[in-house]
């Protein structure tokens, strides 16, 4: 392999899923999980350890809202669910990110924790943050992280949660976290292996929301054929398609037997192969979690 080709592969590791680099060991490249993906896996782990609760589905729109809020808190020096400068509330933020038609939503924020493991542990030690993480009212979640390397001791906060800063000179925190939760009445997620980032086995477990509404279900892999309609069950075993790489599973749920009724669709993805261990950013910093919120 030429030197130039090696350089191109290093710079563009996910240019196209069908062009993944295969080193001499024949082990196919899998990108490392992001902090947001690790946060999601840890939340579902806590739900399993605390009563084997149903997993939460990662939502792109909730993740977008959470990332944006963490960035704004870090860059404009505030720590609150409400934006002190724009007066934007957390439910307005998630709607602006595309998460509309929600029935219930909530948010956790924190600052100062260096890793997903640390911030989830901090939230789980707080009764109200823990309640959000373990709530069965939520079906979807998205997390957002921001590192502010030059953070200063000038972070604004509110002790009254009235969207006005009444405390200044806090920090520096360096690390800012947001976690947005939600449930949409007409969205019934499908989740592979409790939303794990990767797997080393083709045999996976699916969890399907839709109990009490769905009467039948069918499943297929990417570019595959649909299975036969079968009676709905929230827990299903499934086999991914052959070969390493990103795998997609598509689900159709029907309000009637054998697909005779209203159809609602869902999908999920997972990497088949072992992920690369990510580098952890470390710095000396203070910690702060902030009161969670929930809205119905």
């Amino acid at each position: 392999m030429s030197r130039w080709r090696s350089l191109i592969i290093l710079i563009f590791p996910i240019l196209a899923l069908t062009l993944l680099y295969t080193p001499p060991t024949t082990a196919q490249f899998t990108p490392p999980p992001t902090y947001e993906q690790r946060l999601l896996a840890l939340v579902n782990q806590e739900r399993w350890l605390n009563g084997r609760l149903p997993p939460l589905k990662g939502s792109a729109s909730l993740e977008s809202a959470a990332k944006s809020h963490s960035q704004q808190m870090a860059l404009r020096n505030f720590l609150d669910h409400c934006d002190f400068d724009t007066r934007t509330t957390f439910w307005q933020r998630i709607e602006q990110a595309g998460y509309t038609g929600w029935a219930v939503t909530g948010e956790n924020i924190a600052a100062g924790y260096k890793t997903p493991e640390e911030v989830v542990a901090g939230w789980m030690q707080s009764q109200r943050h823990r309640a959000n993480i373990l709530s069965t009212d939520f079906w979807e979640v998205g997390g957002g992280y921001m590192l502010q390397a030059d953070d200063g001791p000038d972070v604004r906060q509110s002790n009254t949660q009235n969207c006005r800063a009444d405390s200044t000179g806090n920090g520096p925190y360096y690390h800012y976290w947001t976690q947005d939760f939600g449930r949409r009445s007409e969205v019934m997620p499908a989740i592979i292996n409790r939303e794990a980032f990767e797997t080393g086995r083709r045999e996976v477990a699916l969890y399907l929301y839709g109990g009490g509404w769905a009467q039948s279900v069918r499943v297929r892999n990417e570019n595959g054929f649909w299975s036969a309609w079968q009676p709905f069950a929230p827990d299903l075993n499934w086999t991914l398609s052959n070969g390493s790489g990103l795998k997609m599973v598509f689900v159709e749920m029907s309000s009637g037997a054998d697909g005779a009724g209203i159809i609602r669709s869902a999908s999920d993805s997972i990497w088949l192969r072992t992920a690369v261990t990510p580098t952890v950013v470390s710095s000396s910093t203070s910690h702060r979690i902030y009161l969670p919120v929930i809205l119905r």
Side-chain angles (χ1 to χ4, degrees):
M1 178 180 296
S2 71
R3 183 176 181 181
W4 282 108
R5 184 183 175 194
S6 298
L7 180 59
I8 292 172
I9 290 171
L10 289 173
I11 296 175
F12 302 107
I14 54 173
L15 179 61
L17 296 179
T18 58
L19 296 178
L20 295 177
Y21 167 56
T22 303
T25 61
T26 71
Q28 198 162 17
F29 176 81
T30 302
T34 64
Y35 267 24
E36 287 78 12
Q37 289 166 330
R38 286 168 58 187
L39 191 66
L40 173 58
L42 289 164
V43 166
N44 280 332
Q45 176 178 294
E46 291 294 346
R47 290 173 69 88
W48 178 257
L49 294 175
N50 290 274
R52 299 194 173 186
L53 302 175
L56 299 180
K57 167 73 173 178
S59 163
S61 50
L62 287 179
E63 181 175 317
S64 176
K67 283 182 175 179
S68 176
H69 190 58
S70 292
Q71 291 168 358
Q72 293 306 311
M73 288 193 298
L75 295 174
R76 293 194 282 107
N77 303 316
F78 74 94
L79 180 63
D80 201 274
H81 297 285
C82 180
D83 190 312
F84 293 149
D85 303 316
T86 67
R87 298 291 190 267
T88 304
T89 62
F90 84 95
W91 62 88
Q92 289 173 328
R93 282 190 279 103
I94 68 170
E95 288 180 350
Q96 290 169 1
Y99 196 82
T100 57
W102 53 268
V104 58
T105 186
E107 181 173 81
N108 288 343
I109 59 174
Y113 296 92
K114 296 186 290 294
T115 66
E117 290 76 12
E118 287 185 9
V119 72
V120 170
W123 280 329
M124 289 299 292
Q125 292 171 11
S126 164
Q127 182 177 358
R128 292 175 64 182
H129 296 85
R130 176 189 177 96
N132 271 352
I133 290 173
L134 301 182
S135 174
T136 55
D137 289 335
F138 302 129
W139 293 0
E140 299 174 287
V141 68
Y145 167 73
M146 175 67 177
L147 170 64
Q148 180 75 341
D150 59 349
D151 203 20
D154 54 353
V155 179
R156 298 169 290 161
Q157 296 174 193
S158 172
N159 295 318
T160 58
Q161 286 195 300
N162 63 355
C163 205
R164 296 185 183 278
D166 53 28
S167 174
T168 59
N170 302 290
Y173 295 125
Y174 302 108
H175 309 269
Y176 290 81
W177 303 87
T178 304
Q179 189 177 53
D180 287 326
F181 303 86
R183 173 170 56 83
R184 296 173 286 181
S185 57
E186 295 188 359
V187 175
M188 297 176 179
I191 303 172
I192 305 172
N193 281 4
R194 299 190 65 81
E195 203 69 323
F197 173 74
E198 56 86 20
T199 180
R201 295 174 55 86
R202 290 180 60 205
E203 295 75 20
V204 295
L206 302 181
Y207 184 85
L208 310 178
Y209 283 95
W213 177 86
Q215 299 299 311
S216 56
V217 60
R218 64 178 184 173
V219 188
R220 72 173 176 88
N221 290 318
E222 75 284 350
N223 300 321
F225 295 103
W226 286 108
S227 67
W229 286 100
Q230 64 185 68
F232 176 85
D235 295 291
L236 292 177
N237 295 321
W238 186 249
T239 302
L240 303 174
S241 61
N242 282 312
S244 299
L246 184 66
K247 301 298 179 178
M248 294 288 299
V249 175
F250 296 88
V251 177
E252 285 189 344
M253 291 170 270
S254 173
S255 60
D258 296 322
I262 298 171
I263 304 293
R264 289 180 178 165
S265 301
S267 64
D268 198 14
S269 62
I270 192 168
W271 284 91
L272 180 58
R273 300 297 271 190
T274 303
V276 178
T277 303
T279 301
V280 176
V281 179
S282 177
S283 64
S284 178
T285 178
S286 56
H287 291 170
R288 180 64 184 263
I289 62 174
Y290 209 79
L291 290 175
V293 290
I294 186 169
L295 190 68
R296 301 178 186 276

